Amino acid sequence: MSPDNNKTVSILLVDDDEINNFISIKLIKKALLNTDIMACLNGKFAIDTLSDIQRKDPAQLPDYILLDINMPIMNGWEFLDEYKRLNLDPLSKSKIFIISSSVFSNDINKARSYPLVKDFVSKPLNVEKIKELFGIEKEF
């Protein structure tokens, strides 16, 4: 499903690197015109944020979750386990992508072992990767 150009796409970016988040947000906004991006610096903060959204208005859950693996407090794997345990998105509104600088095949295979995870994307992000991730047609 590619994002509709008129609809605002909501994205939750879960990464402990503030500089990387700043760059990722700029790139996403360049690739996608109508975006609402929220960043969480660790999995625990993201789980708390999503729990709050689920409790108040589940329709406001993000369309996409871009999840780093290596973070303090709660890493990406712990996030996925807790996300599933709490059943935060029973209607599967959010599409989860692992966004990681890890090149280890065991991380890639582990990511693909989670039914919740749509794909594993290697950092650094760039506009082309983002357009591919969101299924946006390339402009010629």
Side-chain angles (χ1 to χ4, degrees):
M1 175 181 104
S2 63
D4 181 340
N5 286 337
N6 296 324
K7 178 188 178 287
T8 298
V9 176
S10 60
I11 300 168
L12 178 62
L13 179 60
V14 187
D15 192 331
D16 63 315
D17 184 333
E18 293 186 56
I19 293 168
N20 190 61
N21 287 348
F22 177 80
I23 294 167
S24 294
I25 289 168
K26 291 283 185 200
L27 290 171
I28 291 167
K29 286 187 176 283
K30 186 174 182 178
L32 290 169
L33 296 178
N34 301 318
T35 56
D36 179 19
I37 307 170
M38 183 175 20
C40 294
L41 295 174
N42 64 63
K44 174 79 171 93
F45 181 43
I47 288 291
D48 292 346
T49 299
L50 291 167
S51 295
D52 194 44
I53 293 168
Q54 173 63 26
R55 193 170 41 258
K56 291 179 180 169
D57 185 3
Q60 296 303 311
L61 285 168
D63 298 307
Y64 298 93
I65 298 173
L66 307 182
L67 179 64
D68 188 24
I69 297 172
N70 298 310
M71 297 176 286
I73 302 170
M74 179 184 279
N75 68 31
W77 309 125
E78 294 165 332
F79 169 90
L80 288 169
D81 292 339
E82 191 67 359
Y83 183 89
K84 183 178 180 188
R85 187 185 73 78
L86 294 173
N87 196 25
L88 288 176
D89 186 11
L91 301 177
S92 300
K93 179 182 190 284
S94 303
K95 291 164 190 56
I96 301 175
F97 292 90
I98 298 284
I99 310 289
S100 179
S101 54
S102 173
V103 292
F104 297 114
S105 60
N106 60 332
D107 281 340
I108 296 167
N109 291 334
K110 186 173 182 176
R112 293 193 172 135
S113 76
Y114 280 86
L116 295 170
V117 175
K118 300 299 178 202
D119 204 354
F120 185 100
V121 180
S122 297
K123 287 181 185 175
L125 287 178
N126 59 45
V127 171
E128 287 309 309
K129 276 187 192 175
I130 292 166
K131 286 184 176 187
E132 187 179 312
L133 181 75
F134 295 107
I136 298 170
E137 297 299 318
K138 290 183 182 174
E139 295 174 15
F140 293 101

